[in-house]
C-alpha cells in the first residue's frame, strides 16, 4: 500500500502519528466492510470446513490479539483458523528438547524454494531438521520475510510510542519457557501478505484470508510453538483491526 508512511527525515513524530492515525481510521472502515461482505458470502461454509479434521481435539481455544504458546507431541496437529479474515498470526517453533534448534526462515526458504509459505511447506530449523509441515492451507500464500512488528519499529514508522506488538508478545510467551528476546528468530506470518515484486520491492499489503480460512500444521518432532496473534493497528497485516483467531490442537485417529 503506497503512502502508508509519512516519509522524510524532517517529519516530526506528531506529524507521522497524525498521518498514521488518520490513515488507519479510513482504512479500518474499508477493511471492516470487506470483512463483513466476505463473512456473509463464505464465512459459515469456510468455518464449517475448518472445524472438520480426522481426529480428536486436544484443546480448542479462541485467542485474542496477544501471546499464545503450546507444546505439541510428534504427529499431533495445530490448526489456526482466521475467524474474521486478514489477521496476521506471527509464528515461531522450537524443538521441545533443544530450544536452540528453532525455526530458521532462510533455511526454510532454501529447502522449499519459495518465499511464500503454503501447503506442503516444511518448516526447517537451524540444525537442518524439519520441525513441522504445513499439511493444509486454504489461503495459499503466507509470509516469512516481513518479521514481527515491534513497539520500537512502530514508533519509527508511525511516530507512536508504546504500541502493543508481536515482539512484546513473543517476549512474554518465551519468558514462560525460560527464554529471552535473543531467542526470537525471523518468524512466519500466517495470513500476512507480503508480495515480492520483480524489481525486488516489497511491503505489507491487504491480506488474502477470508473469515474461516485456516492452516493446519503437523509436528514432525516434539515441539514448542510460540505465537503472537498480531495487535497491529497501523498497517494492513491485521486488516487495520486486530481480531481473534481459533487455535485447535488435535490428535489424528489411528490409520490417518
Ligand atoms: Zn504484529
Amino acid at each position: 500500500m503506497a503512502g502508508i508512511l509519512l516519509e522524510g527525515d524532517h517529519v516530526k513524530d506528531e506529524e507521522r502519528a497524525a498521518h498514521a492515525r488518520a490513515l488507519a481510521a479510513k482504512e479500518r472502515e474499508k477493511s471492516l466492510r470487506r470483512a463483513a461482505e466476505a463473512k456473509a458470502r463464505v464465512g459459515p461454509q469456510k468455518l464449517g470446513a475448518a472445524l472438520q479434521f480426522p481426529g480428536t481435539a486436544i484443546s480448542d481455544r479462541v485467542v485474542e490479539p496477544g501471546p499464545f504458546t503450546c507444546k505439541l507431541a510428534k504427529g499431533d496437529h495445530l490448526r489456526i483458523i482466521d475467524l474474521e479474515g486478514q489477521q496476521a498470526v506471527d509464528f515461531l517453533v522450537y524443538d521441545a528438547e533443544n530450544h536452540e534448534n528453532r525455526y530458521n526462515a532462510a533455511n526454510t526458504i532454501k529447502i522449499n524454494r519459495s518465499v511464500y509459505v503454503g501447503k506442503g511447506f516444511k518448516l526447517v530449523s537451524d540444525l537442518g531438521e524439519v520441525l513441522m509441515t504445513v499439511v493444509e492451507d486454504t489461503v495459499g500464500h503466507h509470509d516469512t520475510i516481513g518479521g514481527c512488528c515491534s513497539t520500537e519499529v512502530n514508533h519509527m514508522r508511525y511516530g507512536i510510542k508504546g504500541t502493543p506488538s508481536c515482539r512484546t508478545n513473543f517476549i512474554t510467551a518465551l519468558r514462560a519457557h525460560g527464554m529471552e528476546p535473543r531467542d526470537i528468530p525471523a518468524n512466519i506470518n500466517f495470513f500476512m501478505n507480503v508480495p515480492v515484486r520483480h524489481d525486488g520491492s516489497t511491503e505489507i499489503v491487504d491480506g488474502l484470508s477470508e473469515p474461516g480460512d485456516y492452516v493446519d500444521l503437523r509436528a514432525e518432532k516434539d515441539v514448542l510453538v510460540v505465537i503472537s496473534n498480531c495487535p497491529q493497528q497501523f498497517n494492513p497485516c491485521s486488516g487495520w483491526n486486530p481480531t481473534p483467531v481459533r487455535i485447535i490442537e488435535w490428535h489424528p485417529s489411528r490409520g490417518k
Side-chain angles (χ1 to χ4, degrees), residues 88 90 148-150 165-167 189 228-232 237-238:
D90 291 40
C148 66
C149 65
S150 74
S165 75
C166 288
R167 181 175 156 79
N189 294 300
S228 166
N229 187 22
C230 181
Q232 178 61 259
C237 74
S238 295

Side-chain angles (χ1 to χ4, degrees), residues 163-212:
T163 52
S165 75
C166 288
R167 181 175 156 79
T168 308
N169 291 338
F170 278 157
I171 291 169
T172 301
L174 288 170
R175 201 170 283 143
H177 300 285
M179 288 190 273
E180 299 180 26
R182 72 181 66 164
D183 296 305
I184 303 173
N187 59 289
I188 292 177
N189 294 300
F190 287 115
F191 311 116
M192 186 161 118
N193 188 14
V194 186
V196 180
R197 305 186 188 96
H198 284 297
D199 65 357
S201 63
T202 185
E203 65 190 322
I204 302 166
V205 299
D206 289 340
L208 301 171
S209 55
E210 295 177 322

Side-chain angles (χ1 to χ4, degrees), residues 20 39 44 48-49 102 121 126 132 149 159 178 199 214 238 248-249 252:
K39 196 166 193 176
R102 61 191 187 173
F121 237 68
D126 284 356
M132 299 186 90
C149 65
D199 65 357
Y214 69 93
S238 295
I248 301 171
E249 298 165 52

Side-chain angles (χ1 to χ4, degrees), residues 11 35 37 59 73 75 88 113 124 138 140 148-149 156 164 189 198 249:
V11 178
E37 181 278 322
S59 76
R113 293 191 294 171
V124 180
T138 62
C148 66
C149 65
M156 188 180 180
N189 294 300
H198 284 297
E249 298 165 52

